RNA sequence: GCGGCUAUAGUUCAGGGGUUAGAACGCGGGAUUGUGAUUCCCGAUGUCGAGGGUUCAAAUCCCUCUAGCCGCCCCA
């Protein structure tokens, strides 16, 4: 027996009116990005697997166990089948495009933003889906374009603060019981600092490894940086005693980070430095950051994350092209806004979650009025009004309540009106009604718009 | 990938071996042939997530699967 087909695990359909909120978020994001000089880039959803294994890092969780990867069909016996992957993140793709189109040759700083689906095969949870959407941006260019400047880091962070402000998400403060957004950042060191620090970590971990929890023992081997942000209670004392990354930053990296912080202070962007913040992607250098949010998200409380990736371009065969970027978890942003709307913390989000009433609902009385009703709807719609048309079989008893749920005005088109070239317009909220000639309708309804 | 909880009408949920599966909201029809949100009457809500098993009898107990949620891992 055939069973009902459903969306595959971890993927979902987004339906109205929720999609109105998605559109709102994307509109605000595009508006903010445009003001900071970003242009949109659209890269393919499929990329060569190698882009991620080299760019993101073979040993990362994303690459080692979360990618949707398959062998493409070879076109000829002589051709080798290519391994393809559904992108698990978009930074590598953007940098690939930057290299492929020789954008560095322009000599100018590239500011690129994107909105699109990403794919990771993880166990689904609230705020974590196998197809999820990221809104991101990258600032990248040859060193001569100023792409390495701490000004760029601060600008990106300040832009994110502006975006969240404009979406009506408050900053954490005493007034909201510190439940707004929080920015944490750290410097994970340059591409020469980082290996020195990781080596020191390994050395420090070796003698105490046996005392750590099994998870941390494993991390000590595979990815020592991850031990730092472990939540295991018993391991905290050991973790506190481990070497700090700050002590391994060279003078240049230290100055860079200090300059980022100073610029944030100047812009009034609140932050906390978290020396234990590390990110799961290999390409991050120097500035790494994340914005977290308690409302609406369970344990998946990272609303967005990002950082600098000064060596990524070279890793995947490109020219030197330092950059910094971020990715916002759009699904999580939506969950946050929905929760804020529910808690009456965001009238704006609430507004987008409810379908807007149309300007008018046309009720033809009798199917012989259907054609005239549709023609009238056409005229009104071309005049910029939002209109729904009922069917002539609907009785008044059905048409009026239906009109009330959908629209502000009911236009009755019956035999009497048709003969006179008129229509009856009823204002549903008050029950008042007037008869007008059809030609007056567009002007009349337009002036009644809220 | 690991552990736990859950799955019944369009929606929110009740029913925990006993034959015909319920409530509310919503939906359809009527009281009222062109005037609503109130009221009254009537009706349909459904493979009780899927498959298998135990039993005279399974929505109910057992197993497997699927999906969602919560936690872990990790990340957006």
């Amino acid at each position: 027996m055939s069973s009902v087909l459903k969306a595959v695990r971890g993927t979902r359909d987004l339906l109205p009116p929720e999609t109105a909120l998605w559109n709102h978020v994307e509109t605000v994001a595009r508006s903010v990005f445009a003001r900071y000089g970003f242009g949109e880039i659209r890269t393919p959803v499929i990329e060569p697997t190698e882009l991620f294994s080299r760019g993101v890092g073979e040993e990362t969780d994303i690459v080692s166990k979360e990618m949707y990867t398959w062998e493409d069909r070879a076109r000829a016996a002589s051709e080798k089948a290519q391994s393809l992957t559904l992108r698990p993140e978009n930074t590598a793709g953007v940098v690939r495009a930057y290299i492929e189109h020789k954008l560095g040759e322009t000599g100018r700083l590239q500011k690129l933003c994107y909105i699109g689906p990403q794919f990771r095969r993880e166990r689904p949870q609230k705020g974590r889906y196998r197809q999820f959407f990221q809104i991101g941006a990258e600032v990248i260019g040859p060193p001569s374009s100023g792409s390495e400047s701490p000004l760029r880091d601060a600008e990106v962070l300040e832009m994110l603060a502006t975006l969240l402000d404009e979406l009506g998400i408050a900053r954490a403060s005493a007034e909201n019981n510190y439940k707004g957004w929080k920015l944490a950042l750290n410097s994970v060191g340059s591409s020469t600092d980082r290996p020195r620090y990781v080596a020191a970590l390994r050395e420090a971990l070796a003698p105490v490894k046996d005392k750590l929890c099994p998870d941390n023992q494993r991390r000590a081997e595979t990815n020592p940086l991850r031990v730092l942000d472990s939540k295991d209670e018993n391991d905290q004392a050991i973790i506190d005693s481990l070497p700090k990354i700050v002590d391994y930053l060279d003078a240049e990296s230290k100055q860079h980070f200090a300059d980022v912080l100073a610029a944030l202070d100047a812009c009034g962007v609140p932050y906390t430095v978290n020396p234990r913040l590390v990110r799961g992607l290999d390409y991050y250098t120097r500035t790494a950051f994340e914005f977290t949010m308690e409302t609406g998200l369970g344990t998946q409380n990272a609303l967005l994350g990002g950082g600098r990736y000064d060596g990524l371009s070279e890793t995947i065969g490109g020219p030197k092209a330092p950059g910094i970027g971020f990715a916002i978890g759009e699904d999580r942003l939506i969950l946050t806004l929905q929760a804020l709307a529910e808690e009456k913390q965001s009238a704006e989000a609430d507004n987008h979650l409810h379908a807007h009433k149309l300007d008018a609902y046309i009720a033809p009385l009798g199917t012989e009025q259907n054609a005239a009703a549709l023609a009238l709807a056409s005229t009104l719609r071309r005049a910029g009004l939002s209109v729904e048309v009922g069917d002539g079989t609907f009785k008044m008893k059905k048409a009026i309540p239906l009109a009330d749920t959908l629209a502000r005005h009911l236009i009755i088109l019956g035999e009497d009106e048709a003969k006179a070239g008129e229509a009856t317009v009823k204002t549903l909220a008050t029950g008042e009604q007037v008869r007008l000639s059809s030609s007056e309708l567009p002007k009349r309804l337009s002036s009644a718009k809220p």
Side-chain angles (χ1 to χ4, degrees):
Chain A
M1 175 163 156
S2 70
S3 50
V4 180
L5 259 23
K6 295 193 295 187
V8 315
R9 172 124 123 134
T11 70
R12 59 203 183 127
D13 302 307
L14 301 172
L15 307 171
E18 189 187 322
T19 38
L21 184 56
W22 283 73
N23 278 319
H24 172 245
V25 162
E26 291 169 15
T27 302
V28 172
R30 287 195 165 97
S31 152
V32 171
F33 294 164
R35 276 176 269 153
Y36 287 77
F38 284 78
E40 184 174 350
I41 181 169
R42 301 193 188 192
T43 63
V45 160
I46 47 175
E47 294 278 4
T49 303
E50 206 186 339
L51 174 64
F52 305 113
S53 51
R54 277 169 61 188
V56 175
E58 197 77 66
E59 298 308 316
T60 62
D61 281 21
I62 290 177
V63 172
S64 64
K65 54 190 195 200
E66 296 172 1
M67 295 204 302
Y68 283 98
T69 296
W70 69 99
E71 289 284 295
D72 195 21
R73 214 177 295 174
R75 279 187 306 174
S78 58
E79 192 187 57
K80 197 168 169 264
Q82 189 181 17
S83 178
L84 300 179
T85 291
L86 242 28
R87 64 183 184 201
E89 59 96 55
N90 218 338
T91 300
V94 170
V95 174
R96 194 223 79 230
Y98 169 91
I99 297 166
E100 188 167 335
H101 299 285
K102 300 184 171 29
L103 297 181
E105 298 298 309
T106 63
R108 288 196 313 269
L109 194 65
Q110 299 296 311
K111 288 178 145 183
L112 304 165
C113 64
Y114 61 85
I115 299 177
Q118 318 294 333
F119 306 84
R120 290 182 203 172
R121 201 181 182 292
E122 293 180 273
R123 182 121 167 195
Q125 234 180 85
K126 186 177 189 179
R128 196 174 70 188
Y129 308 98
R130 289 181 172 187
Q131 176 177 326
F132 60 103
F133 291 80
Q134 288 189 332
I135 300 175
E138 313 292 347
V139 181
I140 183 171
S144 62
S145 67
S147 57
E148 256 177 315
S149 169
L151 166 82
R152 267 34 280 199
D153 305 47
E155 182 185 38
V156 157
L157 289 163
E158 190 280 324
M159 178 170 79
L160 285 164
T162 298
L163 174 56
L164 295 176
D165 284 348
E166 293 195 12
L167 285 170
I169 300 176
R171 304 165 178 210
S173 70
E175 283 129 59
N176 56 30
N177 205 15
Y178 299 99
K179 277 190 135 176
W181 61 256
K182 295 180 192 124
L183 162 61
L185 72 167
N186 191 22
S187 177
V188 296
S190 69
S191 45
T192 50
D193 301 336
R194 199 133 86 125
R196 281 197 299 129
Y197 176 60
V198 171
L201 259 189
R202 280 190 200 279
E203 203 172 312
L205 282 166
V208 293
K209 219 181 76 182
D210 297 343
K211 296 182 196 138
L212 296 169
C213 71
D215 266 338
N216 278 331
Q217 292 193 17
R218 178 179 52 76
R219 288 165 172 155
E221 287 293 329
T222 59
N223 194 347
L225 285 173
R226 294 237 67 90
V227 177
L228 294 178
D229 65 351
S230 162
K231 290 160 208 139
D232 191 286
E233 296 278 330
N234 300 323
D235 293 357
Q236 294 307 311
I238 294 175
I239 294 167
D240 285 336
S241 70
L242 293 171
K244 305 273 183 289
I245 181 105
V246 212
D247 302 323
Y248 288 79
L249 299 183
D250 59 29
E252 219 178 322
S253 289
K254 266 185 195 159
Q255 187 59 48
H256 191 277
F257 193 51
D259 289 348
V260 173
L261 300 185
L264 288 177
D265 290 334
C267 295
V269 176
Y271 61 86
T272 54
V273 174
N274 176 359
R276 288 186 182 182
L277 178 73
V278 290
R279 315 240 79 233
L281 285 67
D282 284 356
Y283 55 62
Y284 285 119
T285 54
R286 293 186 172 172
T287 315
F289 59 86
E290 73 183 11
F291 283 65
T292 54
M293 186 75 202
E294 283 171 37
T295 311
L297 307 172
T299 48
Q300 313 302 324
N301 69 345
L303 190 61
L304 69 94
R308 181 163 274 289
Y309 43 86
D310 294 339
L312 176 56
S313 173
E314 290 147 290
T315 308
I316 58 176
K320 190 162 169 46
I324 180 162
F326 63 84
I328 304 170
E330 190 175 6
D331 305 75
R332 293 182 183 179
L333 191 52
I334 297 286
L335 283 169
T336 297
L337 290 170
Q338 284 172 327
L340 289 174
E342 206 149 306
E343 291 175 11
K344 304 287 174 227
Q345 300 285 306
S346 167
E348 176 146 18
D350 200 44
N351 183 32
H352 288 280
L353 278 173
H354 296 101
H356 288 253
K357 286 209 169 181
L358 301 170
D359 292 313
Y361 176 94
I362 304 175
L365 296 179
T367 51
E368 58 280 5
Q369 306 302 334
N370 272 353
L374 194 61
L376 176 59
S378 168
T379 305
L380 297 178
R381 286 163 171 164
R382 282 165 185 254
L385 295 154
S386 54
V387 176
E388 180 57 287
V389 196
D391 186 83
T393 57
F394 295 177
K395 304 248 166 66
M396 279 283 197
K397 264 277 186 295
K398 174 172 175 168
I400 297 176
L402 184 57
D404 194 28
T405 63
L406 296 177
R408 281 187 300 276
H409 299 281
L410 167 66
I411 298 173
I412 299 167
L413 216 55
E415 203 180 337
D416 299 351
E417 286 88 347
K419 275 184 199 149
E422 296 179 335
T424 299
V425 179
K426 186 183 182 81
T427 304
L428 290 154
T430 61
E432 290 165 46
Q433 64 183 57
V434 286
R435 241 173 100 156
L436 313 166
S437 81
S438 304
S439 56
E440 290 176 72
L441 265 177
K443 204 160 49 161
R444 190 67 166 248
L445 290 172
S446 297
S447 66
K449 266 168 136 11

